Each structure stands twice: as structure tokens, then as C-alpha cells.
Amino acid sequence: MKKLSFAVFALLFAVFSFAAEKKNIIFVVADGGGPAAMGLLLQYARYAENSPYADRTSNLEKIFSASELGIVLNATKETIVTDSAAAGTHMAKGTLTYPEYLGMGAEGENADSLLKKAQKLGMATGLITDVYLSDATPSAYTAHVNSRRNYEEISAALLNSGADVLLGGGLNYLISDKDLKDEKYAGIFKKIPYSKSLSPALKNGLFEKLITSGYPLVFDKKGLQKAKSDKLLGLFGASAIQFSVNPAPYAPTLKDMTEKALEILSKNKNGFFLMVEAGALDWMLHDNDQGAALAELLELDETLGLIKDWADKNPDTMVVITADHDTGGFGFQYRKVKGDELELKKEQGYPLYDKKDYSVKSNLDIIAKQTKMQRDMKAEFNALGEKRQTPKAIQQYLMENMGYELPLDVVEDKGDFEDCLKEINKRLGVTWSTGNHTGSPLFVSFYGAGAPKNPGVLHNTEVNKIIERFLYDGK
């Protein structure tokens, strides 16, 4: 009987110990990252001749291959297509809502977000983004407004959120013109590396509240690395943090911010909830800029490598990866080739099938060569003045910044920089369906502790419920 009682006790101890171990949640949101955009990363890692991955396997693929994978639908209360505010609210609060509503249900509900629920359980909490902290995805966890543009309330709610770690861009959304001109703050603004680009978004500034909030404040990568406190607020850009295709030397990467957040949040014995948003990806997809989007995807993948390693060493951790919506409708397509281009490709031994170009794998290497955003290229080249905007100059500029040498006769025929840029994108086989969001279904990945078996097809409010169950399991 004693042996039986001991066995039962040991079993119960093991069960409850296992449940209690499930305590950390890292929720990664690739903003705009629909299946085709995520596929660009997967294909680049596998097929590009100069793939930076020795085993030709991205961290995203490694996580997906070891995860419980599902499909996510994201329809709002009345619409097929969503925005980041509604999608963010669905995932943060599990409440169905309308586009533009942020942290508010369709009937005005103000349910606790996952962040607030974690706090009530004594867990540490954090929000990270590479765009601005008052943007829709992070603010879905802290705000309760019927317009995502109500930055006065959204930013105030952010500072009142009680989150232990807040890292991202967006100082513009915490200051007014009055704050910027106030002499008593001049010494602080002088130390901010991007202060000259500040353009205040608030009528009633929150800068005094910010500097007296109790958070140690950092404004650059060096400050982030040196931070040793148990709470931290980092603002690394006036709006978004400088984009990955052409990063600012003072700004931390998404990986840098995530590493510091894990260092701070993991001190809490009750565990933590951390939301990490790759928000700049969405901006590049809205621009229909595949090279800049790939740069953001690669930065996200570096972050995923860090997260995977951390979760593997801390098996009490659930990692959830999904997107809020698809942006741009990106893809590769085949096209019929004719005329001089057909003859040139034949001479070059370029693989064609029934005179069709199916977009060769080496196009992935060309996309990765892009040195700056395409919109910045247009602005920079147009600023040269007409006399310097010769066909030869166009050809050379695009070769240097797009990694593609367009034949000079084609450049002369097109005559316009933007048309030449479009021609390169066409020849790379790149296609976009829109500059807006689409209603495409999305991937969701559950990795590590508490991953639901065969999640199937979910609505994004159900993703919230799965995370919520994990939050309370063993608490």
C-alpha cells in the first residue's frame, strides 16, 4: 500500500511539475507576412546560389518542421479583409471586432488582453516592434479605442500598460511641438541620435510622463546593450526604426531587442509573455518592394534563430508564429518572352520552356543584392537633375542598387527610371496583386511546450484562446 501511495504521489508530482513548467510565451507576429511572403524567405534559403544558410534551411523552416502547423483565417465582424488593428485585437484579446477598432470589441467590449492576463498571474510582460510602439499590433494589447489613429489615447495607454519591457520606434507619437521646443528637455533631445528627424504627432505631449514613468529610457543600440534594469523602455526611431535594407548604425535590430527582452523578462520566476512584431515587413510589402521585404524577412529569421535556441534551452516555453494578414499578394510568375529579349536569352543559354521564362532560381540572388528601398532609389535618382539622368546613368544606377544590368537599348526605349525599375521587376518574374491587404489565409506555428496537436483551420481569435489556455495551465 505504501509503495502504491508513493507511486501515485510521484505521478501526481510529475504531472503538476510538468504543468508548472509551462510558463513562458513568445508570440511572434510577421506583419503582412502571408504564405507567399514567408515563402520568399523559405525559397531564398533553399535555392539561392549565395544562400547565407550553410544547410540551406532558414530558422523559420526549422521551427515549422518541428511545430504543430495550422491555417489561420482573419475575417472581421463584417469583412473578409482585415487591417492590423482588427487582427491585432483578435489575437490580443480574442474578441471579434471591426477594421480600425483597436483593443475594442465590435460591441465596445474591453476584455483583458493576453498581456494584462499574464500580469494578473504575476508574469513579466513585454512588447517589441521594429516600427512604432503606438502602431496597431503592439497597441492592441494596451489600448481601447474605436480608431487606430487616436494616438493621444493610444500612447497614454502604452505608458500606463505596466509592461516591463517596451522596445521599438515611435518617439513622434509621445511628443508635441511644445515638448520639442521646451528648453528643459533640450539636453535629452540632444542625446537622441535621430532627433533631427522628429516630427511630433501629438497636440498634448506625453514627454514629461515618459521621462517620469519610472522606466529607464534608451534611444540607441549602445544604451540597449548597457541596460541592466528589470524594466526598460527603448525608442529607437522617430517613427519606425530604420529599415533593414539600409539600417542606421545607432539602431538595434529586432534580434537585439528580443535578446535584451529575454534577458530581462526571464528573471521573473512566474514566467513571461512577450510579443515580438516584425512590423517593417508590412511596410515593404505595401511598397511592393521584394528586395527590401527580403531584408526584413532575413532580420526576422535571425530573431527566430535566437528565439528557437532560447526555447530549446527553456522547454517551459511556447513559441507561436503567425501573421496578422497578407499584404501585397506577392508571388513569382512565368511570362512569355519575345523579340530581342528572346534572342538574347537564347544566346546566353538562359533556360526557357516553350519560349516562357519560369523565373530562374538565380533571381533570388539578384533580389538579395538590392541595397536600398525602391522608393528611395526613385527619389534619389530624380534628385540628380535632368542633365544627369541619361540612359547610361539609369543603367549604372540600377546595376549598383538592384544588381541587375538592363540592356542599354531597353533603357533607351523605356526612357524613364521608374519604367526601367518596373521592367527589372518583370524580368525577375515578380508579381504583386495589390499595394493593400488581401484576405489570404495565413500560417500559424505552435512550437515547444503546450503546442496543440493538429490545430487545423483556426480563426485568429482562436489563436488567442490557445495561448490563453497555456497561460492558465498550471497556474
Side-chain angles (χ1 to χ4, degrees):
M1 186 70 179
K2 286 183 179 179
K3 288 183 178 180
L4 181 61
S5 298
F6 180 78
V8 170
F9 173 80
L11 177 63
L12 289 172
F13 180 81
V15 168
F16 286 112
S17 294
F18 177 75
E21 286 176 354
K22 301 179 184 178
K23 61 178 183 178
N24 304 318
I25 296 167
I26 305 173
F27 188 15
V28 182
V29 179
D31 200 316
M38 303 303 267
L40 175 59
L41 171 62
L42 297 171
Q43 290 174 311
Y44 174 68
R46 277 200 181 198
Y47 302 137
E49 182 179 347
N50 297 309
S51 170
Y53 300 90
D55 60 357
R56 297 192 167 273
T57 309
S58 64
N59 294 308
L60 178 66
E61 181 175 341
K62 289 174 183 175
I63 293 175
F64 275 8
S65 296
S67 292
E68 297 295 333
L69 282 173
I71 299 294
V72 171
L73 306 177
N74 58 3
T76 74
K77 177 81 171 177
E78 295 181 333
T79 65
I80 298 167
V81 181
T82 188
D83 72 337
S84 291
T89 301
H90 289 172
M91 295 189 289
K93 296 198 168 184
T95 306
L96 198 64
T97 193
Y98 302 114
E100 302 294 326
Y101 277 38
L102 188 59
M104 178 184 287
E107 307 305 320
E109 309 97 302
N110 187 17
D112 281 347
S113 69
L114 292 170
L115 181 138
K116 182 58 67 177
K117 289 174 180 176
Q119 289 172 340
K120 287 182 177 180
L121 292 169
M123 300 170 73
T125 56
L127 299 172
I128 296 174
T129 182
D130 54 9
V131 288
Y132 53 99
L133 283 164
S134 299
D135 204 6
T137 300
S139 292
Y141 294 86
T142 59
H144 178 243
V145 293
N146 62 7
S147 170
R148 61 181 293 184
R149 314 297 172 192
N150 185 352
Y151 293 119
E152 305 276 348
E153 287 191 39
I154 291 168
S155 298
L158 183 74
L159 295 180
N160 291 327
S161 67
D164 298 284
V165 175
L166 295 168
L167 301 174
L171 182 54
N172 279 346
Y173 300 91
L174 291 162
I175 61 173
S176 64
D177 284 321
K178 184 179 178 182
D179 289 333
L180 196 56
K181 295 171 184 175
D182 196 321
E183 280 299 316
K184 72 177 178 179
Y185 303 136
I188 300 174
F189 284 120
K190 189 177 181 180
K191 295 177 182 178
I192 297 173
Y194 52 85
S195 59
K196 290 182 180 179
S197 65
L198 287 170
S199 178
L202 303 186
K203 290 182 179 179
N204 300 305
L206 295 168
F207 197 66
E208 182 66 27
K209 184 174 179 62
L210 173 66
I211 62 177
T212 59
S213 62
Y215 285 102
L217 299 176
V218 291
F219 298 99
D220 59 19
K221 184 175 181 176
K222 189 179 291 186
L224 178 71
Q225 292 171 334
K226 289 182 177 179
K228 300 295 181 185
S229 57
D230 292 339
K231 294 175 76 72
L232 188 65
L233 200 164
L235 294 160
F236 309 109
S239 181
I241 297 173
Q242 183 72 33
F243 302 117
S244 301
V245 72
N246 187 23
Y250 64 80
T253 65
L254 193 66
K255 179 183 176 182
D256 294 331
M257 292 188 287
T258 303
E259 187 170 30
K260 179 57 70 173
L262 292 174
E263 176 190 316
I264 294 172
L265 300 179
S266 60
K267 296 176 185 178
N268 188 312
K269 65 181 181 180
N270 296 318
F272 64 80
F273 171 84
L274 173 64
M275 192 285 298
V276 180
E277 183 202 19
L281 173 62
D282 180 60
W283 294 32
M284 302 305 100
L285 295 168
H286 273 293
D287 273 7
N288 291 175
D289 190 332
Q290 68 278 354
L294 179 57
E296 298 300 341
L297 287 163
L298 289 169
E299 181 168 327
L300 168 61
D301 203 57
E302 284 191 9
T303 308
L304 293 179
L306 169 73
I307 289 171
K308 181 181 183 300
D309 288 347
W310 199 92
D312 290 344
K313 293 172 185 174
N314 296 271
D316 50 1
T317 303
M318 173 194 271
V319 178
V320 182
I321 305 170
T322 192
D324 51 355
H325 53 76
D326 171 72
T327 300
F330 168 81
F332 289 103
Q333 65 178 349
Y334 72 80
R335 64 188 180 90
K336 196 83 172 178
V337 181
K338 56 188 178 180
D340 291 342
E341 185 187 1
L342 176 61
E343 295 308 313
L344 179 61
K345 286 189 181 298
K346 284 181 178 180
E347 288 175 19
Q348 294 171 336
Y350 187 98
L352 297 172
Y353 305 88
D354 189 27
K355 299 180 181 179
K356 297 187 186 79
D357 179 355
Y358 280 80
S359 191
V360 293
K361 292 175 182 177
S362 59
N363 286 345
L364 293 163
D365 291 287
I366 294 171
I367 289 170
K369 290 179 181 178
Q370 188 175 316
T371 63
K372 59 188 71 174
M373 294 166 61
Q374 291 184 23
R375 68 165 122 136
D376 288 344
M377 291 185 207
K378 297 172 195 174
E380 189 174 86
F381 191 82
N382 289 336
L384 292 177
E386 284 188 33
K387 289 184 178 180
R388 296 174 63 190
Q389 294 174 8
T390 64
K392 187 64 180 175
I394 293 174
Q395 183 193 45
Q396 184 176 347
Y397 185 94
L398 289 172
M399 180 61 193
E400 290 173 357
N401 293 288
M402 288 291 288
Y404 191 101
E405 187 172 8
L406 204 59
L408 191 58
D409 63 318
V410 175
V411 178
E412 290 171 342
D413 181 57
K414 295 293 178 185
D416 176 77
F417 181 85
E418 189 164 352
D419 286 342
C420 289
L421 190 56
K422 289 177 181 177
E423 181 67 19
I424 290 176
N425 290 335
K426 184 186 82 172
R427 292 186 180 212
L428 292 173
V430 170
T431 182
W432 301 87
S433 67
T434 180
N436 299 314
H437 299 174
T438 79
S440 170
L442 311 163
F443 293 130
V444 64
S445 162
F446 298 93
Y447 180 82
K453 297 297 180 186
N454 303 315
V457 180
L458 305 168
H459 187 264
N460 54 5
T461 53
E462 295 175 280
V463 173
N464 169 279
K465 301 306 178 188
I466 290 170
I467 297 174
E468 180 183 70
R469 284 198 295 272
F470 181 80
L471 265 180
Y472 289 107
D473 187 15
K475 298 293 184 182

